[in-house]
Every structure is written in C-alpha cells, then in structure tokens.
C-alpha cells in the first residue's frame, strides 16, 4: 500500500454532521434477516442490486478524496486510510466519528449496504496516535513464536475495531529473498516456513468474537520478496516451480486459515504485472487454491499494468477480468466507476465477473456482521495503547532480540560502575518503530507515546549511573561499559531500497569510533529492518544484538541486556558478510539463518543443527539434510538417530536413509559433536512417512468442477492430510472417472490416465503434506454426454473421505 497525499476534499467527519441517519427496518428483505444462511442473504441482495450498486461495491476510495454524501451517491463499497492518513484529532474517538460518518453515508443508500473501512495496521494500529506499536514482522519472525504472534493479531484487532476500522491490510506474507529490498522488515523471514507459521496472526485478527473481529489481508500476492536486485515493485524472474516452492506456501496457509482478502502485488513475474495476471489470480489463487474471499488491488496498482501514468480502460478491463474484485483507486474513483461501467455495457467485462466480485465482497460483509453492527463499537476504544497490550508488545520485543556476539559482557549487572549510552536510536520512539508508524515513511522523535530503549535501560538499572550522549561525547575509561544504539532511519517501500551499501552511515560509524577509543567494552544494539554490513566493526565489539524495529516498548530490549530474560531470538534471514553477497539465502554469510546465542549456552558446546528436512522420499528410501550447527571446537560431525537410536555419524550435512519399510512413519533427529567429543542438543525432529502402505494415510478430498459446456471442463482437487501427527512425504492420488472424461492438461502434479483410471503424483515442490495440511491440484478435461463426479479417491493406496 502507498502513502496518503492530502487533497482538497471534504472529510467524512465534516459531512457526517449534516446527515440524518435512521436505522432501516430489520427483516424488510431476506438479505436483512441474520437468521438466514449467508449464501441465501448474498444471493437475495445480489438479485436486488443495479449495475451501479455492484460497481460501487468494487470501488475503494481514500478518505481524504471522498465525502459521506458521495458514498451514498456512488454506492461506494469501501473507504481506506493510506499511510499517515488520519482524522483530526487522531484519537480512537476521532477515528470512530470519521468512520461512522462514512458508514452512515453507505447506510443511506437504497439497499443499506454497509461499507468496509481498511487501514494498514501492519504492526499494531500504527496510523493511530497512542496505539500499541508492535515489532515489525522481521522481529516477530525472529521470535519463532506463532502463539505470541496470534496474540498480537488479537490485540491489534481490538485496537483497530475500537476506532471503527474493520479491515487491516495485513499480514505481509512475503518471503524476503534479498535484503536490499525496502520492505524486508515487513517479511517474517527468507524461508517460506517462517511466514507459513506466522500466518497464525490471521487467526488473531479474524478469530475474535462479535465486533472485535476484523478482516485480514494476505499480501502481496505473489513473489514480491523475490524481485531481481531486491527492487521494490520490480520483476521476480524465477521459474514457476520456484515461485510455487518459495513464495506460494504462505498464501496456501492463509487460505487454510480462511483469510478474508488477498492483496495483489505491484511486482511482476517474468515481465507480467501481477495486477493483470488472470493465471495467478483466477486460475491459481481462486481455482487451484480455492480462495473464497475477495481480491483487492494495491494503491493505484492497476495503473501499472501497461506502464503509463493513470489507468486506461484497457487496464481496468484486464485487472477486473484477471480476477481483482475490489479496486483501490484512492483519488480517481469516479473515473474508475465510469470506465468500468462502460466496459461492462460494451460486453468487454462480463456480468458474471461483476457478480462474482460482488458475491465475494458481500459474503465477507455478512460473515463479519457489518449488516447487523455497521457502526464502531466504542467500548473497545479502551484497549488502544492499554497496559495489557503494551505488556504483550514488550514480551514480543524481548523474544525478538538476537544475540549475535558476546564475549561475556552481557548480561549487564544492575549495580556497579557507570554505564554510557550513545547513538541516535537510543532515545527515539520514531527511529525504533520504523516506517508505517503514524506516517507512511515513519519519522523521528516522540511521534507517539512509548518507552525508548534508553528509558528502558535506566529503569532496568536504577542502581547504576547512566550517562547519555548521542554522539558519545564525554565517555572515558571510568565507565564500565558503553551501549551504542545505532542503525537505520525510518523508511517504507521503495524509499527503503538500498541498491548500494548496507553499511552504517557516517554518524553511527563515528559514534562507534568514539566509544571504542575510550577503551571500555562496547555493546552494539542494531535497530534496523534488515541485516546491516557490520563485518568490519565486529572485531571491536564486545557484544552485538540485533534489535530489529521493536516499536513503542523499548524496555523489552533492556530486559535482555540486563538478563531479566535471556535472549532466545533466532535469525529469520542469513546475515551477509557484505552487501555484495546479496541475495544470500541459506548461504555462507557472517551469521547463518537460525543463528542466535543465549546466556545459558556453553560457548564450548555446539548448538543444535537447524532446518532438518526429508526429501526424495520413496517407499524404501529418503534423504535427510540440515543446516550446519554453530559453536563447539571444529571440525563438527553429526549423529543421525532414529527414534533415539544412533544410526550413523557423518561429517557432512546430508544422510541417505535406505531399507525403509513402505507405509510407515519414523522420526529422526541430528546431533552435532565437536572435535573434543562434546555433543550439543538434538535438532528438532522430522517425521518421514514412506508411501506404499495405507495404515498411516488418512485424507480428505474435495473435488470441484467448472463445466464450460460443449464437452470441456476444469477440475480442481484439494487433498488434506487428516492424520493428527504423520506427515505425507511423497504422494500418489488415484481415482476413476465414472464417465467418458479425459484429462487433457494438468498442473501441480504429474498426471497420467489409463482408460478411466487417473493418477496424480506430487511435484518436487509439493511432495510434503504436513498433518492437517493441504495440497491443491487441477486439470482441464473433456467429456461426451454427462460429466459425473468420481466417488472414490485413494492417497498412497489408502482411501480418502470425499467431501
């Protein structure tokens, strides 16, 4: 999403004061009856809507460019606040008054269809002054704590709903593959499994009760973190197999969690803008993956399909026909409405597409209770910036801290000699919160209430004298230690791209030089949205902590520095030795993915290997691979164990399993052993399920048909592994057509057909189906006569339940 640009237009707050709203009579029509099924209500309402009503529902305008009266006149379905776009006063009450003003405009339309209000609440309700600002996603990825992240989603939803907003453009499920990208901090990490696990935040946003639920948005679909050079809105030049293996899994997980909306990426895939990709939006997202919510464009995103300024009729047609349901046109929404209407009347956008978009939008409005509770629940305003939410944010901050180096200076004692604190980031809420905080690009200074890192340090050690000077002036050998809080200044989106150096700026380098010259131990705390080039400075540091962008609760950093909580964070990205190594995913950097020290680890003992996975699984064999452990005395070797029994000791990071029993599930772990014989902790276990038996296979299959008529159809199949514990590693789905159907083209599996018997075998990138996980596949086919559905499916020989 993009920033807010003020324009000369009446605000909803001003217009709302002139409107008189009367609650419409309930149950005047079936769609107004909350006792009826949502699908019944949607179809009844859809049948009553004019083309103007329907196009209005597909239109989203920015709050500063529309009035409540225009919402009524044009039947507008959604309003948003861009980054930094807030009412005056910027309080929960000010927001609720503004949103309710627009909502009364929507309810004054003949059919009383409520609008939905969206905002970029991406790390808390960050546009609202006084809201709790949580760490940005990269810090949450370092926590490896999906339950905590779900709680953050719940807390954010309460603060958002308390201001009248019912839709957040979050979470960003991008997989950041190049740290030069200015949105790296919006990613949970460089491997798809991190955003997959952290998609738990969706349950937090959407899983509340009553009016505290808000609609979540999985963004940006798809591949925005993989652009060449890390260029924002650039071109992701990769194969479809890599796109599916790296960038698609988080969206599959979001759909499994019933995410309400998906936002399309500005970026391109091999030269084609995502906003115009019918294949990725309709065929893959809605068809193959079975997404039932609605798709929204990004800020003026349709304008970029053909590359010129503004949007054209062709761009509107291509975007809507590609499958975009709601179009974010912040300022030129009147022109969009007229253009789309003309395209529909000319037959270039079919009414079936318009109805599909409205059906999806209206379904979510009914499901989230907007028809019954359209106005703000002001009782929730008390949660904004509450003590409970700030306590939760402080927990998130301390869990996100990654200790990268420690010569023994940490944890700091709470009593004793003097401490010196330096760095511009030490006493600055704006810098420690980063972009998307109060304004689009963020700012510096006391931009919103909170606790700075310096304030946290002073509160944590009241028995020690603490001196602060941003540049380090005044330090001498009389101090016991110096803490340098340094890093990046706030930025968002394209303005954060760093195509050149990833190093510290001249001011921070001078601050470090001043501190080092004093001869006291220096602890560096990096406040940044990505790894920075710190290799040259590292030898002179006694300790190094990656604090990411912690938000308003800086005391969480002090909790770790002083040992109230040992550091537990693990790197969500590989830390490069220099910017020249980018992209360096799982590469030989300064610190590997998953690295993180703690105060209780014996530095002479190797750590646990990470990333243990099984691949190339057959009925009798598989290959284990893992990421090398850190610590210990080199060289390291690895003990591979099955169910606690050591099978072998190897020097590499792979091991071939042979002689396995078909149709069984076995658990393996790997332990690092150093040259002295000291063994570290075991890795996280991995379960290997071999195909060929059906005793561990429990599955559900959903079979969908899109019949085109004339003997052609598309088939979509969703396979769910319903086993409570065992993963499926390598699968073959088999079924028999009861009619004359033939598969002519398939995707996401290797398809074959003999007579009426069909088999679909996994691709390399979707071979694993975790417990309760899903895989979606599909095909095109032909038939003569009738097109009856298959009634029985088997997975690896075991029968599946057919839904």
């Amino acid at each position: 999403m993009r920033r807010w640009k003020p324009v000369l237009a009446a605000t909803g707050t001003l217009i709302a004061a002139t409107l008189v709203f009367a609650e419409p009579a309930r149950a005047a029509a079936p769609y107004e009856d909350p006792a009826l099924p949502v699908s019944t209500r949607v179809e009844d309402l859809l049948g009553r809507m004019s083309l103007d009503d329907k196009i209005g529902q597909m239109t989203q305008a920015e709050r500063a460019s529309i009035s409540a009266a225009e919402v009524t006149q044009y039947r507008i379905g959604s309003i948003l606040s861009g980054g930094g776009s807030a009412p005056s006063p910027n309080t929960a009450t000010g927001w609720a008054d503004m949103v309710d003003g627009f909502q009364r405009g929507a309810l004054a339309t003949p059919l009383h269809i409520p609008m939905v209000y969206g905002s970029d609440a991406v790390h808390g309700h960050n546009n609202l002054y006084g809201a709790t600002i949580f760490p940005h996603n990269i810090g949450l990825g370092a926590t490896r704590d999906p339950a905590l992240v779900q709680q953050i989603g719940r807390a954010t939803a309460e603060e958002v709903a308390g201001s009248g907003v019912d839709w957040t453009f979050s979470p960003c499920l991008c997989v950041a593959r190049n740290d030069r990208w200015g949105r790296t901090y919006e990613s949970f990490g460089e491997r798809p499994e991190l955003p997959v696990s952290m998609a738990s935040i969706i349950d937090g946003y959407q899983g509340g009760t009553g009016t505290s639920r808000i609609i979540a948005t999985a963004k940006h679909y798809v591949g925005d973190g993989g652009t060449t050079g890390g260029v924002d809105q650039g071109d992701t030049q990769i194969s479809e197999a890599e796109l599916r293996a790296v960038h698609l899994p988080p969206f599959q997980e979001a759909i499994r969690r019933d995410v309400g909306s998906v936002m399309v990426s500005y970026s391109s895939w091999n030269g084609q803008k995502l906003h115009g990709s019918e294949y990725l939006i309709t065929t893959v997202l809605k068809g193959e993956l079975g997404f039932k919510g609605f798709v929204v464009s990004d800020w003026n995103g349709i304008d970029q399909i053909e590359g010129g300024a503004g949007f054209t009729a062709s761009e509107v047609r291509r975007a809507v026909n590609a499958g975009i349901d709601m179009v974010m046109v912040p300022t030129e929404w009147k022109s969009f409405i007229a253009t789309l209407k003309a395209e529909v009347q000319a037959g270039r956008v079919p009414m079936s597409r318009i109805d599909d978009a409205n059906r999806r939008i209206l379904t979510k409005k009914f499901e989230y209770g907007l028809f019954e509770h359209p106005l703000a629940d002001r009782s929730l305003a008390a949660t904004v910036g509450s003590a409970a939410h700030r306590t939760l944010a402080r927990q998130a901050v301390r869990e996100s801290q990654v200790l990268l180096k420690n010569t023994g200076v940490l944890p700091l004692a709470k009593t004793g000699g003097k401490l010196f604190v330096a760095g511009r980031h030490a006493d600055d809420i704006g810098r420690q919160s980063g972009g998307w905080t109060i304004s689009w690009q963020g700012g510096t200074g006391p931009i919103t209430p909170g606790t700075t890192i310096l304030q946290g340090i002073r509160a944590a050690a009241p028995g020690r004298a603490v001196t602060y000077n941003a540049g380090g002036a005044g330090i001498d050998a009389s101090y016991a230690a110096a803490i340098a809080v340094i890093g990046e200044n706030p930025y968002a989106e394209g303005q954060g791209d760093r195509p050149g150096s990833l190093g510290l700026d001249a001011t921070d380098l001078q601050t470090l030089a001043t501190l080092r010259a004093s001869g006291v131990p220096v602890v560096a705390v990096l406040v940044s949205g990505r790894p920075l080039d710190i290799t040259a400075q590292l030898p002179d540091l006694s300790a190094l902590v990656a604090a990411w962008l912690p938000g308003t609760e800086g005391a969480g950093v002090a909790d770790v520095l002083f040992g109230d909580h040992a550091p537990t964070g693990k790197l969500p990205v590989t830390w490069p030795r220099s910017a020249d190594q980018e992209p360096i995913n799982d590469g030989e950097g300064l610190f590997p993915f998953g690295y993180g020290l703690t105060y209780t680890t014996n530095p002479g003992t190797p750590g646990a290997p990470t990333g243990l996975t099984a691949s190339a699984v057959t009925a009798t064999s598989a290959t284990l691979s893992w990421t090398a452990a850190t610590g210990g005395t080199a060289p390291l070797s690895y003990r591979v164990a099955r169910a606690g029994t050591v099978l072998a000791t190897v020097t590499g990071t792979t091991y071939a399993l042979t002689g396995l029993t078909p149709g069984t599930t076995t658990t393996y772990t790997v332990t690092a052993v150093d040259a002295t014989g000291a063994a570290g902790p075991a890795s996280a276990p991995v379960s290997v399920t071999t195909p060929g038996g059906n005793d561990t296979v429990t599955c559900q299959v959903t079979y969908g048909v899109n019949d085109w008529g004339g003997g052609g159809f598309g088939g979509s199949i969703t396979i769910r592994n319903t086993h409570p514990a065992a993963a499926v590693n390598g699968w073959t789905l088999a079924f028999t057509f009861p009619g004359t159907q033939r598969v002519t083209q398939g995707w996401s599996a290797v398809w074959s057909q003999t007579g009426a018997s069909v088999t679909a075998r996994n691709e390399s990138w979707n071979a694993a189906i975790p417990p309760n996980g899903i895989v979606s596949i599909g095909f095109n086919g032909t038939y003569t006569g009738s097109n009856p559905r298959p009634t029985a499916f088997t997975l690896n020989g075991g029968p599946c339940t057919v839904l």
Side-chain angles (χ1 to χ4, degrees), residues 45-55 75 111 351 358:
L45 177 54
L46 198 61
R48 300 169 186 271
M49 295 170 68
S50 67
L51 179 59
D52 288 337
D53 290 323
K54 294 175 180 178
I55 291 177
R75 318 288 204 262
L111 293 172
M351 276 304 302
N358 274 263

Side-chain angles (χ1 to χ4, degrees), residues 761-779:
R761 293 183 175 83
N762 64 271
E763 297 277 14
S764 60
W765 49 267
N766 63 0
I769 314 177
N772 203 37
I774 62 171
V775 166
S776 297
I777 62 177
F779 65 91

